[in-house]
């Protein structure tokens, strides 16, 4: 009996050892090599950039800047552009869709104040940061803003035209039909400077929308209504319509045109002497700083007052200077 008990105990011990061994084998995948734990690669946080409507190359320059910053900060960027016939309604719908799809932050150059207000409120309800581009306003939910000092830009445009006319002449403004606070500030700056020139008369100008042919018609009406020596177009499409009418009249160098923007066609007209001075801003920096602010907000930081970018006045003589290259031609850098 003793021998049998010993054998039974031995079998039990052997069985227990086998169970332990099998359990260990199951945990290690039946291999002598220790298990290696691998971490899943982190998925980049996704942010969105909603382009301005009717902006053309301005939106493209902002996209390039935003993509450069997104790469630097390890973010994934979605970019939405628009067709020429699209307007505030399409921009608002695109922004809502991106927020619904889970964008961690949204950058937008808003079509108008109502669009910005609605997007800011929509983002706030979902705890998603919204950053305004080319707009100083920060309604509820808009946590950052990058813009130019439009009043100062207007002063630069007014001074440029006054100097082109050597302080004497009759001028007018080709404005936008949109009630845009940025353009209102721009006009205020122009008027402030021109008041300093007693021999310059500012006549009533015209307004136009987002179509180049409509701005050409508005320019024709403005030039038919008064004998003018020069004009300032407050937005890029207005400057192209004005230039078309000036060329149609074959006025060339005699009629002085100052405008805002750095579209390819505007730069060509600058070289040809149809547009004489351009007040330009760095749209690449606008996109870059927008993403930089988004990265800061996603890290728990807060953004203070709006970031104001400088503008420069360029002409056919200095547009190819080294310090103006990245400002005017961000696509080739």
């Amino acid at each position: 009996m003793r021998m049998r008990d010993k054998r039974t105990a031995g079998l039990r011990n052997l069985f227990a050892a086998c169970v332990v061994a099998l359990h260990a084998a199951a945990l290690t995948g039946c291999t002598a090599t220790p298990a290696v734990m691998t971490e899943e690669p982190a998925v980049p946080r996704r942010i969105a950039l909603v382009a301005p409507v009717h902006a053309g190359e301005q939106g493209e320059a902002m996209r390039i800047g935003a993509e450069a910053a997104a790469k630097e900060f390890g973010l994934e960027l979605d970019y939405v552009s628009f067709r020429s016939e699209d307007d505030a309604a399409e921009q608002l719908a695109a922004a809502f869709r991106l927020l619904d799809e889970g964008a961690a932050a949204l950058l937008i150059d808003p079509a108008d104040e109502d669009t910005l207000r609605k997007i800011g409120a929509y983002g706030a309800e979902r705890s998603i940061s919204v950053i305004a581009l080319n707009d100083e306003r920060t309604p509820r939910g808009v946590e950052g803003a990058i813009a130019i000092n439009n009043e100062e830009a207007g002063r630069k445009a007014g001074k440029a035209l006054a100097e082109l006319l050597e302080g004497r002449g009759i001028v007018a403004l080709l404005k936008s039909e949109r009630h845009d606070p940025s353009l209102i500030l721009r006009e205020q700056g122009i008027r402030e400077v021109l008041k300093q020139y007693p021999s310059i008369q500012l006549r009533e100008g015209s307004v136009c929308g987002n179509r180049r042919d409509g701005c050409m018609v508005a320019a024709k009406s403005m030039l038919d209504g008064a004998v003018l020596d020069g004009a300032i177009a407050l937005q890029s499409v207005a400057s192209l319509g004005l230039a078309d009418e000036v060329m149609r009249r074959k006025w060339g160098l005699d009629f002085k045109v100052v405008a805002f923007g750095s579209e390819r066609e505007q730069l060509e007209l600058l070289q040809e002497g149809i547009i004489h001075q351009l007040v330009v801003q760095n749209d690449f920096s606008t996109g870059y700083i927008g993403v930089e602010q988004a990265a800061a907000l996603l890290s728990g930081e807060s953004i203070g007052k709006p970031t104001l970018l400088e503008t420069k006045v360029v002409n056919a003589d200095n547009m190819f200077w080294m310090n103006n290259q990245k400002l005017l031609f961000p696509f080739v850098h």
Side-chain angles (χ1 to χ4, degrees), residues 16-183:
C18 288
V19 170
V20 172
L22 287 170
H23 183 63
L27 291 176
T28 60
C30 301
T31 176
T33 305
V36 178
M37 300 297 291
T38 58
E39 294 185 1
E40 291 290 329
V43 178
R45 302 191 76 174
R46 187 168 59 86
I47 63 173
L49 169 60
V50 181
V53 292
H54 314 296
E57 293 160 19
Q58 180 189 28
E60 190 66 9
M62 286 195 294
R63 180 189 65 80
I64 293 172
E67 286 182 344
K71 183 177 181 181
E72 180 176 338
F73 291 102
L75 299 170
E76 184 178 303
L77 181 73
D78 288 337
Y79 176 70
V80 176
S81 59
F82 300 95
R83 301 167 299 177
S84 59
E85 63 268 26
D86 291 337
D87 217 319
E90 287 78 14
Q91 190 189 49
L92 186 64
F96 282 171
R97 175 177 57 80
L98 289 165
L99 291 172
D100 288 339
E101 290 175 353
L106 184 128
L107 288 67
I108 183 166
D109 186 332
D112 51 39
E113 186 174 3
D114 187 56
T115 298
L116 181 61
R117 181 181 55 79
K118 289 178 178 177
I119 292 169
Y122 202 77
E125 292 170 1
R126 290 154 181 77
S127 299
I128 301 172
S129 298
V130 174
I131 297 169
L133 306 180
N134 290 319
D135 201 309
E136 297 180 49
R137 294 166 292 191
T138 53
R140 173 176 170 261
V142 178
E143 300 180 56
I146 301 102
I148 65 169
N149 185 330
N150 278 284
E151 194 167 358
E152 176 62 23
R155 286 192 286 267
K156 290 180 179 180
K159 183 179 179 182
L161 183 58
E163 291 179 349
L164 285 168
L165 295 174
E166 298 180 345
R168 303 180 64 85
I170 304 172
V171 301
L173 306 182
L174 184 55
K175 301 183 289 186
S176 170
E177 64 185 13
R178 290 186 294 120
H179 182 75
D180 187 326
S182 298
L183 297 180

